[in-house]
Amino acid sequence: MAQTKNNNREITASEWEVMRIVWTLSGATSHQLIESLSEKMAWQESTIKTLIRRLEEKGFLNREGASRPFRYQATLSEQEGINLQVDRLFDNLCAMHIGPTLIRLVQQHELSQADLATLASTITEKAPTAPETVPCNCLTNCQMTENNGGCQHDEAK
Amino acid sequence: MAQTKNNNREITASEWEVMRIVWTLSGATSHQLIESLSEKMAWQESTIKTLIRRLEEKGFLNREGASRPFRYQATLSEQEGINLQVDRLFDNLCAMHIGPTLIRLVQQHELSQADLATLASTITEKAPTAPETVPCNCLTNCQMTENNGGCQHDEAK
DNA sequence: AAAGATAATTTACAATTGTAAACTTTAGTC
DNA sequence: GACTAAAGTTTACAATTGTAAATTATCTTT
């Protein structure tokens, strides 16, 4: 019996490929997944079946349909899935480095007029209450002492 | 003998914690790492030593000093490490979802005046050449056919 | 130089992940 | 209804990761 909840487990890199197809097609049969991924990823069909099963067990895919060619549906939206991965990453970055990281991402990726506009207004909204600087939050309370050299982080650039 | 190059291997979640401390302190001894992480992560000292060794093997840490309390130095800067992780993630996101994802990140995180200003000008620079929309690039050539339901992605929101 | 304290290396072991073969069941077809 | 093809389930197995104990080597201090 497939899980209904995604037990706080993670979507791995390989599994992510499966999810992408499911999201793109708004649900897919194993046949479709095998077709797409055996080519794109050079995986054997067995591999793809395993990934589907694991995603079901983890609660990220639900099987639907009564008779055999079942369909697999994502239990979260693509944006939710992305948020999951992105937050897991950003929650482990030094606060001081998030700004430069976002700047780089904005520079590096192609964004639509609309997205740029939204970004611009978001920035305008945040500006009035933005702090002068965002300090490093790596070591809780920056409990560094003299004998360990202190928090060098503030000198980072 | 420790690797000099990071053989295109990854920094895992646990290893990342070690790197953060090394970066924050601009290099650290195993003693410092154990002090910091045994508390923060509730790890045994042995665990931390293993992580240090693996990071050395992967080429992300270099040991320096001639006599015993060695120091471990990162072979890449924190920003480079972050870029590595961030790119690994963003390279596997549907292009169409990157805009909304960045908007959300900018909203969600505290950014300094300076970072907001840089972001703003970056946006201004990009605007003139920004496309009306950024299409989904999930399925290479979107080689979806009628019998698989076609690329539903363009309808995503 | 012997002991004791530190630091580093080896060994360990279960869980997860990547990858897949083998086997079983079921939907269609003759 | 028997056969076959497609779909789904079980089993497998090595590599990586998380976590750590045991062992060995090296400073430091009597």
Side-chain angles (χ1 to χ4, degrees):
Chain A
M1 179 203 316
Q3 311 280 100
T4 303
K5 271 301 284 175
N6 35 22
N7 298 327
N8 74 293
R9 296 236 264 148
E10 296 177 6
I11 300 176
T12 72
S14 297
E15 290 164 358
W16 185 255
E17 293 300 325
V18 175
M19 293 303 288
R20 285 189 72 177
I21 309 290
V22 173
W23 280 319
T24 302
L25 301 181
S26 307
T29 60
S30 64
H31 179 73
Q32 288 175 302
L33 291 169
I34 288 166
E35 185 172 357
S36 236
L37 293 168
S38 62
E39 189 184 346
K40 181 178 178 203
M41 296 286 118
W43 284 337
Q44 292 313 114
E45 95 175 50
S46 228
T47 301
I48 298 157
K49 287 174 178 180
T50 298
L51 294 173
I52 294 172
R53 177 177 55 73
R54 287 182 185 164
L55 283 166
E56 262 190 281
E57 285 169 1
K58 290 184 181 180
F60 293 111
L61 283 185
N62 260 169
R63 160 203 283 183
E64 43 185 50
S67 72
R68 217 105 199 252
F70 299 121
R71 264 185 96 63
Y72 297 92
Q73 272 297 340
T75 59
L76 31 46
S77 73
E78 181 162 15
Q79 190 61 58
E80 287 170 337
I82 290 174
N83 292 347
L84 218 63
Q85 308 289 309
V86 166
D87 288 345
R88 187 145 59 79
L89 177 51
F90 277 74
D91 287 351
N92 288 301
L93 299 189
C94 167
M96 208 171 64
H97 288 75
I98 289 184
T101 299
L102 291 180
I103 289 167
R104 178 166 167 279
L105 283 170
V106 168
Q107 279 167 177
Q108 216 134 72
H109 293 275
E110 188 169 56
L111 300 171
S112 71
Q113 299 279 347
D115 289 339
L116 287 176
T118 305
L119 265 181
S121 63
T122 300
I123 289 167
T124 303
E125 277 167 38
K126 287 181 79 92
T129 61
E132 199 58 45
T133 64
V134 175
C136 158
N137 64 340
C138 288
L139 299 156
T140 318
N141 301 327
C142 210
Q143 85 277 65
M144 294 292 91
T145 56
E146 319 70 51
N147 69 317
N148 63 24
C151 176
Q152 310 287 312
H153 232 171
D154 299 306
E155 305 163 21
K157 23 132 12 13
Chain B
M1 180 207 317
Q3 310 281 102
T4 303
K5 272 299 285 176
N6 35 22
N7 298 327
N8 74 290
R9 295 235 264 148
E10 296 177 8
I11 301 175
T12 71
S14 297
E15 289 164 357
W16 186 254
E17 294 300 326
V18 176
M19 293 303 289
R20 286 189 72 178
I21 309 289
V22 173
W23 280 319
T24 302
L25 301 181
S26 307
T29 60
S30 64
H31 178 73
Q32 289 175 301
L33 291 168
I34 289 166
E35 185 172 357
S36 237
L37 293 168
S38 63
E39 188 184 346
K40 181 178 178 202
M41 296 286 118
W43 283 337
Q44 292 313 113
E45 95 175 51
S46 228
T47 301
I48 298 158
K49 287 174 177 177
T50 298
L51 294 173
I52 294 171
R53 177 178 53 74
R54 287 183 186 162
L55 283 166
E56 261 190 282
E57 284 169 2
K58 291 183 181 180
F60 292 111
L61 283 186
N62 260 170
R63 158 204 285 183
E64 44 186 48
S67 72
R68 216 101 201 252
F70 299 123
R71 265 186 95 64
Y72 297 92
Q73 272 298 341
T75 59
L76 32 46
S77 71
E78 180 163 15
Q79 190 61 58
E80 287 170 338
I82 290 174
N83 292 347
L84 217 63
Q85 308 289 309
V86 165
D87 288 345
R88 187 145 58 78
L89 177 51
F90 277 75
D91 287 349
N92 287 302
L93 299 190
C94 168
M96 208 172 63
H97 287 75
I98 288 184
T101 299
L102 291 179
I103 290 167
R104 179 166 168 280
L105 282 170
V106 168
Q107 279 166 175
Q108 216 132 75
H109 293 275
E110 187 169 57
L111 301 171
S112 72
Q113 298 279 348
D115 288 339
L116 287 176
T118 305
L119 265 180
S121 63
T122 301
I123 289 167
T124 304
E125 276 167 38
K126 287 182 80 93
T129 60
E132 199 58 47
T133 64
V134 175
C136 159
N137 65 339
C138 288
L139 300 155
T140 319
N141 302 324
C142 208
Q143 84 279 63
M144 294 292 91
T145 57
E146 319 70 50
N147 67 318
N148 63 25
C151 176
Q152 311 286 314
H153 232 172
D154 299 307
E155 304 162 22
K157 22 117 40 338

